[in-house]
Amino acid sequence: EAQLVQSGAEVKKPGESLKISCKGSGYNFTNYWIGWVRQMPGKGLEWMGIIYPDDSDTRYSPSFQGQATISADKSISTAYLQWSSLKASDTAMYYCARLDRDGYKSIHSFDYWGQGTLVTVSS
Amino acid sequence: DIVVTQSPDSLAVSLGERATINCKSSQSVLYSANKNNYLAWYQQKPGQPPKLLIYWASTRESGVPDRFSGSGSGTDFTLTISSLQAEDVAVYYCQQYYSTPLTFGGGTKVEIK
């Protein structure tokens, strides 16, 4: 069965950089889109963007374009979400999730989710 | 961007009673070529990641109890819990995957009355 395991919780100061990870196993990581979803404290789910690990095709939500960078290393079945300069407003739980598919690069619902990485940004 | 709106924001239902959640998209998510509605429903319990319940608007994910059902087409959709159980207390989200950016509704919190 597919599984996504995320890196552990982080506490950072404003202006610091950060890269969190999401490692896939139990399926062909290369051929499924991986997405990132933000959930701010007590709030709903926000779709940040997705990446297709085979060719690194990346799609961002306009709300997050330029705010964070999504990447992937297919050789180690891992996707990443990184910030170059964190803000207090980046404090949130971040989930990675796999998009189901029924054809080459098709985009469907999120069928498997990571456990989440809590990012806290505070001075 | 397709805007997805859920209603109500919260509802309280007695155990064994029906719960109904509505989801409306700002444009149709029905793809004419395959007649599929690109809409999913998720359940999120406190302290857990979301869990996929329904995809293609009405197809239950494997292992999801049959008291959960999805219906609707085009722009208007419904998630129904036919007989609410204590373990169904959660926040429910709909999401369209017809086009990027994929967008979620704001969520509906379901509680026991």
Side-chain angles (χ1 to χ4, degrees):
Chain A
E1 183 174 282
Q3 189 175 18
L4 298 171
V5 177
Q6 297 184 229
S7 50
E10 302 274 1
V11 180
K12 292 289 190 180
K13 290 181 167 36
E16 291 185 332
S17 63
L18 175 64
K19 191 174 190 177
I20 62 175
S21 66
C22 169
K23 183 171 177 61
S25 61
Y27 73 99
N28 188 343
F29 182 81
T30 300
N31 294 342
Y32 288 77
W33 292 91
I34 286 281
W36 288 94
V37 175
R38 184 176 79 173
Q39 187 166 40
M40 299 178 77
K43 301 298 184 183
L45 305 173
E46 300 174 274
W47 184 85
M48 300 178 70
I50 54 175
I51 187 165
Y52 195 75
D54 190 37
D55 60 8
S56 292
D57 183 5
T58 310
R59 319 269 174 94
Y60 289 96
S61 166
S63 301
F64 291 95
Q65 181 87 46
Q67 305 306 304
T69 302
I70 294 171
S71 61
D73 184 342
K74 63 183 180 181
S75 69
I76 55 172
S77 301
T78 302
Y80 302 97
L81 179 64
Q82 68 180 89
W83 297 262
S84 58
S85 180
L86 286 160
K87 303 185 280 287
S89 57
D90 292 317
T91 294
M93 180 71 81
Y94 292 88
Y95 294 102
C96 67
R98 188 188 84 163
L99 281 166
D100 196 7
R101 53 167 280 168
D102 62 4
Y104 177 66
K105 295 185 82 170
S106 59
I107 293 174
H108 292 173
S109 49
F110 286 119
D111 60 351
Y112 288 92
W113 292 71
Q115 82 276 20
T117 296
L118 181 62
V119 174
T120 304
V121 183
S122 174
S123 54
Chain B
D1 299 0
I2 298 177
V3 177
V4 178
T5 305
Q6 283 182 240
S7 62
D9 292 335
S10 64
L11 75 161
V13 176
S14 300
L15 288 172
E17 295 300 303
R18 178 184 300 260
T20 301
I21 301 168
N22 300 301
C23 177
K24 188 173 183 67
S25 58
S26 60
Q27 63 189 74
S28 176
V29 298
L30 173 62
Y31 187 40
S32 55
N34 59 17
K35 300 289 192 286
N36 282 332
N37 285 283
Y38 282 56
L39 187 110
W41 290 95
Y42 302 87
Q43 175 194 63
Q44 188 180 31
K45 296 181 179 180
Q48 296 184 19
K51 172 189 172 184
L52 177 64
L53 293 178
I54 303 279
Y55 57 96
W56 300 134
S58 61
T59 302
R60 263 190 308 276
E61 176 73 331
S62 175
V64 173
D66 61 7
R67 63 180 180 273
F68 291 93
S69 63
S71 63
S73 184
T75 61
D76 292 278
F77 301 91
T78 301
L79 175 70
T80 301
I81 310 172
S82 60
S83 176
L84 191 75
Q85 305 300 302
E87 61 264 32
D88 301 334
V89 169
V91 180
Y92 293 83
Y93 296 92
C94 58
Q95 181 210 20
Q96 66 81 20
Y97 48 99
Y98 183 87
S99 65
T100 58
L102 310 187
T103 41
F104 291 94
T108 297
K109 186 174 185 179
V110 174
E111 300 172 307
I112 305 294
K113 186 188 292 183

